[in-house]
């Protein structure tokens, strides 16, 4: 039974909406976000209670094997998003706009976001950057599209940064991030991802905004956390930043299971009579 010290049950909803995540922030209930790229996994993550499923352009790394997120196309993101949406009952689905689909003309950015919403059935889009994308965010929000911002170590700008090190450690970049966060909130973003920035800065930005922040490598004071599902499940263990916590070692589980299958085929112990017609 709930007492005065237990947090309100705002997350216990049949469908998570942008309103739910705002209510979660307001009630101090942490938001669990995870990436998903396909139907089968999305179904499992949704059943496990993930609040927000991000169809991340990290699909470029973990699904397609590219070194960066830059090669991802809008058509590929739409395909992954369609698969994820078919798998969910409860989670809010947010889709990354890929590199090249929104950085130029705000009208084209809006068209990209409209395609995602129309062709996938997802509930919102995410884009990277601050001041440079504010006009695009405003257009999308005016068109009725929920937008999640993304600041800090934004992977689509990796060639600009030249390194995957923590961002905004210097005061000038930290001030820029504070200002960008405020402008994204004013432009109508419903939430903001903060990636790989000092925990103290993330805490300060979180306290200064009324919209929820979702951290990845941004400490424990953001309103929610996000991980790439392949990292959390230990499917791709060649990527080892300290912000990743591995909740399973599926690389070993899968390699062992498939190794056993190969061996059963080789020694003809599979299939048995019971597995034949
Ligand atoms: O593409 C992605 O997976 C992301 C998360 C790391 C936030 O943007």
């Amino acid at each position: 039974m709930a007492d005065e010290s237990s947090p309100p049950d705002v997350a216990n909803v049949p469908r998570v909406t942008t309103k739910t995540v705002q209510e979660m922030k307001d009630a101090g209930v942490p938001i669990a976000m995870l990436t998903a790229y396909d139907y089968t996994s999305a179904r499992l993550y949704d059943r496990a209670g993930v609040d927000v499923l991000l169809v991340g352009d990290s699909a470029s790394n973990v699904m397609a094997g590219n070194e960066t997120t830059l090669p991802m196309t809008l058509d590929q993101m739409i395909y992954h998003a369609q698969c994820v949406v078919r798998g969910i009952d409860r989670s809010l689905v947010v889709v990354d706009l890929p590199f090249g689909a929104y950085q130029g003309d705000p009208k084209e950015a809006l068209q990209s976001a409209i395609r995602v919403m129309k062709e996938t059935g997802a509930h919102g889009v995410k884009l990277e950057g601050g001041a440079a994308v504010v006009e695009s965010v405003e257009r999308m929000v005016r068109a009725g599209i929920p937008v999640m911002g993304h600041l800090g170590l934004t992977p689509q700008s990796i060639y600009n940064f030249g390194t995957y090190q923590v961002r905004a450690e210097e005061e000038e970049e930290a001030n820029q991030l504070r200002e960008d966060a405020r402008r994204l909130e004013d432009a109508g973003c419903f939430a903001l991802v903060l990636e790989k920035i000092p925990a103290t800065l993330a805490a300060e930005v979180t306290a200064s905004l009324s919209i929820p922040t979702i951290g990845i490598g941004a400490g424990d004071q953001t309103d929610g956390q996000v991980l790439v599902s392949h990292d959390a499940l230990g499917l791709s263990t060649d990527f080892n930043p300290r912000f990743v916590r591995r909740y399973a070692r599926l690389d070993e589980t899968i390699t062992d299971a498939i190794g056993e299958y190969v061996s059963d085929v080789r020694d003809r112990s599979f299939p048995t009579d019971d597995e034949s017609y």
Side-chain angles (χ1 to χ4, degrees), residues 79-205:
Y79 168 75
H80 284 293
Q82 288 167 337
C83 300
V84 167
V85 167
R86 283 184 211 117
I88 58 109
D89 288 324
R90 174 181 172 275
S91 310
L92 181 78
V93 179
V94 177
V95 183
D96 261 337
L97 291 178
F99 180 68
Y102 65 93
Q103 282 89 351
D105 181 354
K107 280 190 199 153
E108 281 172 27
L110 176 60
Q111 286 314 311
S112 299
I114 287 176
R115 273 200 66 196
V116 169
M117 301 301 286
K118 232 181 177 27
E119 296 177 36
T120 71
H123 312 121
V125 298
K126 175 165 85 57
L127 43 70
E128 299 181 5
V133 297
V134 161
E135 196 186 329
S136 298
V137 172
E138 284 167 346
R139 275 179 193 259
M140 290 172 200
V141 172
R142 271 203 303 274
I145 301 172
V147 182
M148 182 180 274
H150 186 163
L151 295 174
L153 180 64
T154 44
Q156 291 176 17
S157 301
I158 191 58
Y159 290 122
N160 207 9
F161 298 143
T163 159
Y164 281 99
Q165 273 166 9
V166 182
R167 303 306 310 176
E169 286 190 303
E170 306 297 330
E171 204 45 26
E172 194 182 337
E173 195 176 327
N175 281 337
Q176 184 63 57
L177 190 141
R178 290 181 183 99
E179 167 75 8
D180 283 342
R182 195 188 52 71
R183 291 195 63 184
L184 288 171
E185 170 166 280
D186 290 348
C189 280
F190 76 93
L192 177 63
V193 169
L194 296 174
E195 179 160 355
K196 215 167 177 189
I197 62 170
T200 46
L201 177 62
E204 184 201 316
V205 170

Side-chain angles (χ1 to χ4, degrees), residues 252-274:
E252 287 170 4
T253 308
I254 291 174
T255 312
D256 290 352
I258 300 304
E260 219 178 299
Y261 162 70
V262 170
S263 140
D264 289 355
V265 170
R266 294 263 199 276
D267 67 14
R268 296 192 183 278
S269 61
F270 174 80
T272 60
D273 285 349
D274 284 350

